[in-house]
Amino acid sequence: MTPLNEVDGRAIPLGLKNIDTDVIIPAHWLKTTSREGMGKGAFEGLRADPANLFDNPPYQGAPILIAGDNFGCGSSREHAAWALGDLGIRVVIAPSYSDIFSGNAVKNGILPVVLPQAAIDRLMEVAATDPVHIDLENQTVTTMFQDRFTFDIDPFRKMCLLEGLDEISLTEKSDAAIGDYEQKLDAERPWMRPAA
Amino acid sequence: MTRPRTLYEKIWDAHVVEQRPDGTALIFIDRHLVHEVTSPQAFAGLRASGRIVRRPDLTLAVPDHNLPTTARRDASGHRLPIADAESAAQLAALEKNAPEFGIRYIDAVAPEQGIVHVVGPEQGFSLPGTTIVCGDSHTACHGGIGALAFGIGTSEVEHVLATQTLLLQPSKAMEVRVEGEVGPGVSAKDIILHITGTIGAAGGTGHVIEYTGSAIRSLSIEGRLTISNMAIEGGARAGLIAPDETTFEYLKGRPYAPKGADWDAAVAYWKSLTTDPGATYDKVVVIDAADIAPSVTWGTSPEDVVPITGVVPDPASFADPSKQVAAAKSLAYMGLEPGTRMQDVPVENIFIGSCTNSRIEDMRAAAAVIKGRKKAANVKWAIVVPGSGLVKAQAEAEGLDRIFTDAGLEWREPGCSACLAMNPDKVPAGERCASTSNRNFVGRQGPGSRTHLVSPAMAAAAAVTGRLTDVRELIA
């Protein structure tokens, strides 16, 4: 996973609430055994409109996406995060996310920034003409107009993003603890093992 | 004396392998369900890093999303290939990966094949008090038998395959209490649609929802699975319903369920899985069952719910400006005008199926309405897709298949089908579908499709009249 700290660039002012993962990547794009090339299908429905934001030259390849409440709701498909990543997006800014999406995003080096609606409204204005700057280390979103918004992030997720960590290798350090748990489980609740 | 705990806290606490100082915990996963769509990249990851599946005995794979629901064998019993090359490749990947990594596999033509969330409880693989994950958001379903079950992404699928754990932040606990008795024609689906409309699509975000109250307690396991299945539509990663005698009765004797002395020990443990008196939830919503009507969605978010006796709302009637924008977009997509009576909305397609509503009780409820009636002339496509081969066999033993086919509906092979239209079962652009599935998202049932979420009985009623219909008029 590519580490992420500072991101500076244009932000796509999408702004809609309840953007579900079927909108981010429709199901027919899930018929693949690869993680690659998903950007072509990203927001396919919205991009069928020639006047869409994503293919508007100032926003092509923009690293930031601004959305409304409950971004990434619905299906658990990680393809949504892969599609955003392939489109070049490293940061999403929204008032809230579905729990599954925000986890998938972080695992793919995409930072889900949570800011209140008022801040989102202001950033939508800025995004119409100018870039937005994100600093994960200091947990800030700033603009050239002296806007400065701070955001909260779970410290573990922050570390994973900053260092580009592979979570499986990290968990494998707890191998002995997992083994102990399995032994205890077999002793205390032997019926937990599938009977057949 | 220990602090009173919620059901969620009890299951969480029993699965902590390691508590981390930053608040996250390494949680043991008791059951991992795998299907063909969200697993190929995870197996490829294992292969690339030289890792193995830590606990193949706790892992069960079954294909469901891509399979066509038409015949899977020819007249002489030979297995038919899947025409769509990409779907066939995903199925082939699972068929290769499962034996290579030593995982239990129910193949596409096995009698037990079905939707992974129907198969888990049906096989007794899903048990109360267990943690269950699957690369599918409707894993929330298994909360209906009292399991802490939630959907995960493909990176997490790989993580569970490799380590049998997940690193998680605890969720908050939310209670949705439904008290009283529902009226005639009101099913578990109507209860969960009503709840979703009440709390909103993000109402449960960051929470695990425990469903309590007499209206929940009196539901069968099939009904409870329907409720918990759609916890995710209210934003909650998991739903929970405390196990009780109804649960134990349902599970006893199922293939993977404990047997003999193990069964008695399991039941004794499961009886401890209730929220303690005095335990507090972070959020509580109370609903009077008498307020719940047969329900239907009008928009493109599962929170867009009205009683079937209601009308399409005016976007201006919403207080939240962003909801006004979303509602206007939804109505444009759905081709609906504010003020239109829901019962006047014609439907050309009917889908009875999905992990929400494809169990035997759902088949019976739909058949009871259809029996002796005919599909309306304007309904072009009406399919009934049982949730598993075992549901299909049971329904056929009861003669339900004939009731559907005599009425002009198609009786299909089990799978996810038109719920998400990854297989050939799609709703044409611009057409409506009365669907027993769980999501009315833009394009969910095919590009341009217009979905109205309903119960099995309501879908059957719509099949008969050719419009969204109050099923109470047909069963009175």
Side-chain angles (χ1 to χ4, degrees), chain B residues 47 118 124 253 272 284 347 356 362 426 448 468:
Chain B
R47 210 174 273 121
V118 175
S272 73
V284 176
V347 291
T356 311
D362 302 314
K426 291 176 177 48
L468 296 174

Side-chain angles (χ1 to χ4, degrees), chain A residues 30 78 154 171-172 181 192, chain B residues 14 31 90 154-155 159 169:
Chain A
L30 273 52
E78 192 163 326
D154 168 65
T171 300
E172 282 174 338
Y181 181 92
M192 279 281 215
Chain B
R31 299 288 187 269
Q90 276 199 332
T154 298
S155 294
H159 193 279
Q169 274 280 359

